[in-house]
Amino acid sequence: MARHKLREPAIVIVGGGVAGLRTAEALRSRGFSGELLGVSAEPHYPYARPPLSKVALYSIDGSGVPLSTTADVRWQRGVTATSLDVTGGYVELDDDRLVAFDAAVLATGVRARRLPGRVPGMELRTVEDAERLRTVRTARQVTW
């Protein structure tokens, strides 16, 4: 496996949601000037999830509501962290890269709990969910 060495000091933030982004912003506001690398399983930059039902579900382009930031994070999107070696100081990604760090933050968030009897495909957690539901809404001419 190839090692990807970040310049020192480096902090890896595993999780591309609001918590990961806010962590990066807090580090910068407290004077951290080293490299920040964000790892996100989603192909999108961090976005605000609550507006998905209000904005992205009805938007023409289907995009989420991106969160703007000045935290200067280098995002690795569409990859997941598969293991963390605290002693060795690296995170292994699902594309076999090893990313070295001086500190790591795990801000992975949560998954929606699947309730018995739920209607399949009616979850709204990601931009892709909003796009799928918007397509269903448009096809059926449903008014919400």
Side-chain angles (χ1 to χ4, degrees):
M1 287 185 213
R3 279 189 184 256
H4 174 71
K5 185 66 175 168
L6 303 175
R7 62 180 166 83
E8 302 296 334
I11 296 177
V12 172
I13 301 170
V14 178
V18 175
L21 181 62
R22 296 298 183 238
T23 298
E25 291 172 338
L27 286 164
R28 292 291 188 221
S29 72
R30 286 168 177 76
F32 180 75
S33 61
E35 186 162 6
L36 292 176
L37 177 72
V39 176
S40 176
E42 291 195 47
H44 314 283
Y45 285 105
Y47 58 91
R49 292 185 189 277
L52 283 177
S53 63
K54 314 281 188 297
V55 178
L57 191 56
Y58 293 95
S59 71
I60 294 170
D61 67 359
S63 63
V65 181
L67 296 169
S68 60
T69 182
T70 57
D72 190 28
V73 179
R74 189 164 49 97
W75 288 102
Q76 299 295 307
R77 298 172 298 161
V79 294
T80 58
T82 56
S83 67
L84 172 70
D85 183 335
V86 177
T87 305
Y90 66 87
V91 172
E92 183 177 350
L93 305 180
D94 64 358
D95 62 5
D96 292 330
R97 283 183 293 156
L98 298 178
V99 180
F101 62 81
D102 296 300
V105 176
L106 302 180
T108 57
V110 298
R111 296 262 182 237
R113 184 170 43 151
R114 310 255 191 267
L115 299 175
R118 71 174 177 83
V119 177
M122 297 303 285
E123 296 170 350
L124 184 54
R125 299 283 300 161
T126 66
V127 170
E128 289 79 14
D129 291 343
E131 290 171 353
R132 186 184 66 257
L133 289 172
R134 188 180 60 253
T135 301
V136 169
R137 179 183 152 271
T138 302
R140 294 184 182 173
Q141 300 291 317
V142 175
T143 304
W144 290 332

